[in-house]
């Protein structure tokens, strides 16, 4: 909303249905990804949580004119372990995504995450503002509610896109052509010349890559290995 009017509505495009998520059971997915102009003089691209786990979302928004990518998220905290950069696997993953998208699209990325506990699910907060060079301008604390105001210099986008013209050099005609080919192959409407012989439509690898003699659990391939044995890697001796 801007100046008391609805400027744009984004309906979540990707609905997570795995692990503790079951969104497809209750919702229908949106099918539009659009950037919208604002009185700030820049385009804004809005996404919701899982949308940013699919790289086409930030790419499409940036190509459509967005210089600020805004992700509103309800990310639950998972994978507490010292091996993670900040002790929380979810936060490590999100931070990696946000910095990567900011740099590849040379855009500001604003990540706004829910915080608190709801029905035993903990939301970790950690909202961030990432500059178009991929560097964090602001990082909110974990697990604490807060209202944070962050000043950004929108000229940074122009400077970064002149220095690193990634969006300018994207070959969209190549992408459109190859996506058309992939869609046709997945639908079984075209032959995939790079797939294994015997692969099912839409798949590149055949159910069994090696030629096996006999069948059943005791079958062996021509190298003498049992069909039901796991593949083992051996070190090469000099």
């Amino acid at each position: 909303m801007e100046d008391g009017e609805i400027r744009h509505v984004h309906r979540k495009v990707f609905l997570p249905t795995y692990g503790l998520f079951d969104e497809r059971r209750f919702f229908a997915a949106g099918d539009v990804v659009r950037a919208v102009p604002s009185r700030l003089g820049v385009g804004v691209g809005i996404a919701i949580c899982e949308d940013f786990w699919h790289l086409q979302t930030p790419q499409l928004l940036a190509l459509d004119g967005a210089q600020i990518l805004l992700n509103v998220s309800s990310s639950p905290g998972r994978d507490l372990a010292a091996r993670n950069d900040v002790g929380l696997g979810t936060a490590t993953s999100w931070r990696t995504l946000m910095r990567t998208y900011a740099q590849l699209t040379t855009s500001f990325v604003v990540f706004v995450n829910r915080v608190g506990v709801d029905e035993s699910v903990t939301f970790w907060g950690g909202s961030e503002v990432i500059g178009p060079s991929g560097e964090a301008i602001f990082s909110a604390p974990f697990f604490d509610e807060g209202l944070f105001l962050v000043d950004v210099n929108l000229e940074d986008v122009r400077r970064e896109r002149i220095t690193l013209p990634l969006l300018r050099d994207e070959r969209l005609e190549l992408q459109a052509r190859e996506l058309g080919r992939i869609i046709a192959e997945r639908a079984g409407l075209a032959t995939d010349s790079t797939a294994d012989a015997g692969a099912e439509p839409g798949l590149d690898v055949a159910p069994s890559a090696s030629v096996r003699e006999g069948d059943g659990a005791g079958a062996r391939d021509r190298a003498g290995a049992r069909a039901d044995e796991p593949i083992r890697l051996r070190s090469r001796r000099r």
Side-chain angles (χ1 to χ4, degrees):
M1 299 185 67
E2 189 174 77
D3 294 330
E5 298 180 357
I6 296 176
R7 296 294 302 275
H8 178 66
V9 175
H10 175 73
R11 293 179 172 85
K12 191 173 183 179
V13 176
F14 293 97
L15 304 182
T17 307
Y18 55 84
L20 57 84
F21 306 110
D22 198 16
E23 292 192 6
R24 289 185 190 174
R25 180 180 178 185
F26 302 101
F27 303 104
D31 58 2
V32 174
V33 176
R34 294 283 190 277
V36 59
S38 71
R39 67 178 181 182
L40 298 175
V42 296
V44 178
I46 300 175
I48 301 174
C49 207
E50 180 78 8
D51 287 343
F52 260 39
W53 281 89
H54 299 266
L55 56 86
Q56 62 185 272
T57 307
Q59 182 190 41
L60 287 171
L61 290 173
L63 290 171
D64 199 36
Q67 291 94 35
I68 298 177
L69 307 180
L70 174 62
N71 184 282
V72 183
S73 182
S74 290
S75 174
R78 291 173 292 175
D79 191 15
L80 290 168
R83 68 177 182 272
N84 298 308
D85 293 342
V86 292
L88 179 64
T90 313
T92 298
S93 297
W94 270 110
R95 289 187 167 191
T96 300
L97 289 175
M98 297 301 103
R99 285 154 176 76
T100 300
Y101 292 154
Q103 191 166 28
L104 290 182
T105 65
T106 51
S107 306
F108 281 100
V109 173
V110 182
F111 172 63
V112 184
N113 190 32
R114 183 179 179 183
V115 63
V117 179
D118 186 2
E119 294 184 356
S120 76
V121 178
T122 300
F123 301 92
W124 51 278
S127 299
E128 287 197 309
V129 178
I130 311 298
S133 65
E135 296 182 1
I137 297 174
F138 170 80
S139 299
F142 292 165
F143 308 112
D144 288 332
E145 295 183 10
L147 174 63
F148 306 98
L149 303 179
V150 182
D151 292 326
V152 299
N153 185 356
L154 297 178
E155 284 297 314
D156 289 348
V157 175
R158 180 175 179 273
R159 283 193 292 268
E160 192 67 26
R161 291 186 177 183
I162 291 174
T163 304
L164 194 65
L166 298 179
L167 292 177
R168 183 200 68 185
D169 294 342
E170 289 285 356
R171 297 183 59 188
L172 299 184
E173 75 290 345
L174 171 65
Q175 187 176 29
R177 185 180 71 240
E178 294 304 313
L179 283 174
R181 174 186 60 80
I182 292 171
I183 292 171
E185 290 173 357
R186 285 190 174 187
L189 301 177
T191 301
D192 187 349
S193 60
T194 63
D196 288 340
E200 296 180 5
L203 300 177
D204 289 333
V205 181
S208 177
S210 61
V211 179
R212 303 188 182 279
E213 298 174 350
D215 32 40
R220 294 177 178 271
D221 63 20
R222 291 181 179 176
R226 286 171 55 92
D228 55 350
E229 287 180 348
I231 298 174
R232 293 182 173 83
L233 301 180
R234 299 178 180 177
S235 60
R236 177 178 297 179
R237 296 181 179 178
R238 296 181 179 178

